[in-house]
Every structure is written in C-alpha cells, then in structure tokens.
Amino acid sequence: MDNTSYTPEEPIAAIATSLAPSALGIIRMSGKNSIELLSKLFSRPKALLEADGNTIVYGWIKDGDNRIDEVLVSVFKAPKSFTGEDMAEISCHGGTAVISTIYNLLLKNGFRQAERGEYTFRAYINGKADLTKAEAIREIIESRTDSSRGRAAGRLAGSLYEEISSIKKLIVDTLAAIEVEIEYPEDEETIADAFDRDGIVEAISRLKSLNDSWKSEKLFQDGARIVLCGKTNAGKSSLFNSMLKEDRAIVSDIEGTTRDWIESWISIDGIPARLFDTAGLRATDDYVEQVGVERTHDLSEDADVILYLADSTAQLNDEDLTFLKDFKIPVVFVWNKIDKAENKSMLSDEAKKMIPSIKKEIYISAKNSAGIDELTKSLKAILTEGKESTRQQAGLGSARQKAAVEQALECVEHALVAADDNYTLDAVVQDLEDSLDFIGEITGEVTPDDVLGSIFSNFCVGK
C-alpha cells in the first residue's frame, strides 16, 4: 500500500471473506466515526451506538426503507481492537449479491475502500503489532501445512519480537557501560579492557542463530519442488496419486499416457512441496510427447529433489543412467512395483559412482502404498539437510528480516574487532549504535517508508 498518502483514522471498509457463495460473509470497517456511520444504515442505531466494545448487536442493514439483510454486527472500541481504532464487522448471509450490496452501500455513505494490508498497517502504526507480528499474519494466511502455520503463529505470539528485544538489551547495556567509561575513564591497558565483552559475544551468538534459522523457515514458507521422472510405465502417475491420496493423474498401461506435466501441493511431514508428475522418458516420433519429454528435462533442472522411478520388474538400462548422470540436484532412486518383482533390483556400484547425486535408494509399491512412509522420511531428510527442521526457539519470517539481522551481526562483530585493534571507544559505540538501527528495522522501530509499502502491499484487501 502507498502509506505516504495514508490518512489516519479515515473510515475504511473491505470484504474480509471470499466473494463466493457461502454460509456467511464478513465486511470489516475501521476508523474514526466508523460505528456512527454504520448506525445510519442499521435498523437499531441506538443499540449500536450504545453497545460496549467486544459485543454483538442484532439487526438489519437498510438502504432507506429497503431492508438489505438480517445481520450481526460485532463492535470493537479503541484501543481494544485489531487496528487500535473503533471497528465493526458485519456478519451477513454469504451470497455474493448481498455482500456486494452492503459493501457498496458503505462506500456510498462515508467509507472508502481499504487498501491491501491497511488494517494490519493501522495496527502497526497504532502500536498494536510490530512488523514481525504483522508479517506473521501474512505468513499464517499463506501457510500450506500445519507446521508452516505453527511457525508463523509463534512469531505472531511474539517469539521473534521477544528474542530481538533480548538481543537489543544486551547491546544497549554494553553501550551504557561504554558511555560511563567515556565519561569517567580509568587506566585500562587497552580499549578492549574498558568494557565487558560477554554481552556482545552473546548477542553475536544469538544473531547468528537467528540468521541460520532462515534456511529452515524459508523451506517451510515457500516449499520445495519435487519432480517425478522415469521411463514410461514406471508408475509415476500411480505414485503421484498415492502421495496426494487422491486419483488426480490418469493411470494406464498404455505407454505415453502422460504427455504433459501436472502438479499439486503436498505435505512432506509438514514441509509444503509442489509435486510434479511428468511425461515418461523415451524416444518417440509423436511431436506432442516429444514436447512433454523436453518439459520433463526443464522441470527437473529446477527441482529441489528428483524422484526417479524405475520398474523393479524390468532391467535398468543406459537411458536411465544417461538422464541422471549430469544432475547435481539430489536424487532419490525409487524402485517401483516391488509387489510384482520376483527378485530385488539394485543399483550397481558402478551406477552409484556414475551418479553421485543419488542420495537414497528406496523400494515401493505405488499401487498399494508400500514404502511410501520411508520415501517421505527420506525426502524430508534431504530437504532439511543442513537446516533445522524442528525448532523450539524464535526464527526469522522474511528475507527482509534476514537482511537486517545480517547487517546488525556485521556491525556487532566489527565492534569487537575495533576494540581488539585498539580503536577509540567512540568507534565501538558507533558500530553498536548502527547495529541497533538495523535491529530496529526488524521490529519496525526504524523503518523507511518504501519498506513499509513493500510489506503491506503483499497483504490481501481486508487484512
């Protein structure tokens, strides 16, 4: 949103639920005189105006003598509301016509259309939420698994804010001690001896932990790309359906059934992932199938993990190895149809040497879901390698936060270097003050207008 043209307390309205047929629809209002303006369209204006905060009033929305819909109005009084302003929410019947009619009626009677993220922006400027909590709201809305939602909920509850505040206190306390030393110097042998380093050392350690958390948090937010590859009739579509737990892809014994890729979101033990089912790899004169095979190559190059399926009842050949040998992307080699195989197929030592990207060899039956749990565990282990998959402490929620942490960390580390190199205490102070500015950007205490616009413009209207 363009916060430079923002008018404080101006009455705004927005449809907060999807504009589609449903049992209920919700229309939100916020701003100065919002309850008074709504009362002019309400069948019981006195009851609405006299209602206490956090109460619900029954009545009708009216346009003159014309009754629009029977509704419930939730009343919130400043400062005890989401935005910190007077607010009201109309719960009406969920037909698109009635929702649109009420909303347009509000716009004709003193309200303006809310911009993207304006409700959360008002919560921020009115001190109801810092930027870490504001961004967590968007994360929760966009989360695709319970694990990603849970991590965002932790930030909304204040876990990141509390950690940032604690690190800030370590730096502030050290700064205060240095300021005392500047005012009342003693005869320390070096600048490094003039203040206690322990607080700065701990701040560096905790900033590093926050910085490292982004790898894992980004995975749970953005998800991974997993591409199913293999020759025709290896069972890719069957595995796709098995992992989705629904019949999404067409399964047939006829070769070349899948000529293009299809995709769907799945959960890999809490990690959101886009799973792609692709055209079978084979030489063909069919132009459409050729294009499908080319797209399989293209998708595979952008994957985070490749699931390469092979038929355990058939022999592995050079075509399988040729496709995989140049990939640096992690590969899980999946032997399918073990329910039909008389003998267990295995990759030779020579094949493993030729394709070092193969991280795991798995045996499954896509038809009866045997081995799928082991496959899921292997995928999670590969995706979280070098990342923290289970987290108890605070974690970063956006690339913006990570950039600010990196800059704060650099400043604090340089403060110690300056002290060790016997720079003046003023130089150390400057580094620590710079680090506090970057830490302030994380929570929003110090934030340029263009950063605010970028954050809140990614929200939906009504939030």
Side-chain angles (χ1 to χ4, degrees), residues 364-440:
I364 71 163
S365 170
K367 184 177 180 180
N368 58 30
S369 297
I372 300 299
D373 287 344
E374 183 184 357
L375 176 59
T376 299
K377 290 177 182 177
S378 298
L379 284 171
K380 183 175 183 179
I382 291 171
L383 290 171
T384 58
E385 186 177 3
K387 306 180 183 75
E388 189 179 17
S389 60
T390 56
R391 171 182 60 75
Q392 299 299 322
Q393 76 277 14
L396 298 178
S398 70
R400 180 196 71 82
Q401 295 169 8
K402 181 180 187 296
V405 165
E406 286 178 337
Q407 291 170 310
L409 177 59
E410 182 180 346
C411 291
V412 177
E413 288 178 328
H414 191 268
L416 284 188
V417 172
D420 291 339
D421 290 347
N422 215 29
Y423 281 63
T424 66
L425 282 177
D426 287 336
V428 177
V429 167
Q430 185 62 59
D431 282 330
L432 295 181
E433 287 180 344
D434 288 345
S435 73
L436 289 176
D437 285 342
F438 289 121
I439 286 174

Side-chain angles (χ1 to χ4, degrees), residues 299-318:
L299 283 170
S300 300
E301 290 175 357
D302 293 331
D304 293 300
V305 180
I306 292 173
L307 290 183
Y308 192 87
L309 266 67
D311 187 342
S312 61
T313 66
Q315 294 295 318
L316 204 63
N317 60 28
D318 292 340

Side-chain angles (χ1 to χ4, degrees), residues 13 92 103 188 248 301 345:
C92 61
Y103 175 59
E188 282 82 3
R248 173 77 183 279
E301 290 175 357
S345 301

Side-chain angles (χ1 to χ4, degrees), residues 183-426:
E183 291 294 326
Y184 307 101
E186 296 182 6
D187 294 328
E188 282 82 3
E189 293 183 4
T190 66
I191 296 299
D193 296 328
F195 64 95
D196 187 352
R197 300 165 58 97
D198 291 346
I200 297 302
V201 171
E202 184 179 348
I204 289 173
S205 175
R206 290 166 72 170
L207 284 170
K208 284 181 177 178
S209 294
L210 278 179
N211 193 45
D212 292 342
S213 74
W214 175 238
K215 294 179 182 178
S216 176
E217 297 303 312
K218 188 175 188 298
L219 174 64
F220 278 84
Q221 281 184 33
D222 298 345
R225 291 167 62 94
I226 300 174
V227 177
L228 294 172
C229 301
K231 292 189 297 186
T232 56
N233 278 6
K236 297 183 297 300
S237 296
S238 295
L239 178 56
F240 184 83
N241 290 340
S242 181
M243 295 181 76
L244 258 65
K245 296 181 174 59
E246 63 176 89
D247 290 333
R248 173 77 183 279
I250 298 173
V251 176
S252 171
D253 292 332
I254 302 173
E255 291 189 345
T257 302
T258 303
R259 296 187 170 203
D260 200 353
W261 55 267
I262 60 174
E263 65 170 292
S264 186
W265 284 96
I266 62 169
S267 173
I268 303 296
D269 195 15
I271 299 172
R274 290 170 66 189
L275 182 65
F276 295 82
D277 180 23
T278 63
L281 301 169
R282 67 167 180 168
T284 176
D285 294 328
D286 188 305
Y287 173 74
V288 175
E289 194 175 349
Q290 286 177 9
V291 173
V293 172
E294 290 174 3
R295 290 181 177 178
T296 298
H297 284 270
D298 293 339
L299 283 170
S300 300
E301 290 175 357
D302 293 331
D304 293 300
V305 180
I306 292 173
L307 290 183
Y308 192 87
L309 266 67
D311 187 342
S312 61
T313 66
Q315 294 295 318
L316 204 63
N317 60 28
D318 292 340
E319 190 176 10
D320 297 285
L321 302 179
T322 299
F323 177 78
L324 292 172
K325 68 178 183 179
D326 294 328
F327 278 109
K328 296 181 180 179
I329 299 162
V331 175
V332 177
F333 199 96
V334 183
W335 291 102
N336 190 24
K337 305 182 183 180
I338 58 172
D339 54 312
K340 297 181 179 179
E342 296 181 3
N343 299 306
K344 186 178 182 180
S345 301
M346 294 182 67
L347 286 171
S348 65
D349 292 337
E350 182 181 353
K352 292 178 181 178
K353 289 180 181 178
M354 184 185 301
I355 313 170
S357 58
I358 294 178
K359 302 298 183 183
K360 191 76 174 179
E361 191 174 4
I362 301 288
Y363 297 87
I364 71 163
S365 170
K367 184 177 180 180
N368 58 30
S369 297
I372 300 299
D373 287 344
E374 183 184 357
L375 176 59
T376 299
K377 290 177 182 177
S378 298
L379 284 171
K380 183 175 183 179
I382 291 171
L383 290 171
T384 58
E385 186 177 3
K387 306 180 183 75
E388 189 179 17
S389 60
T390 56
R391 171 182 60 75
Q392 299 299 322
Q393 76 277 14
L396 298 178
S398 70
R400 180 196 71 82
Q401 295 169 8
K402 181 180 187 296
V405 165
E406 286 178 337
Q407 291 170 310
L409 177 59
E410 182 180 346
C411 291
V412 177
E413 288 178 328
H414 191 268
L416 284 188
V417 172
D420 291 339
D421 290 347
N422 215 29
Y423 281 63
T424 66
L425 282 177
D426 287 336

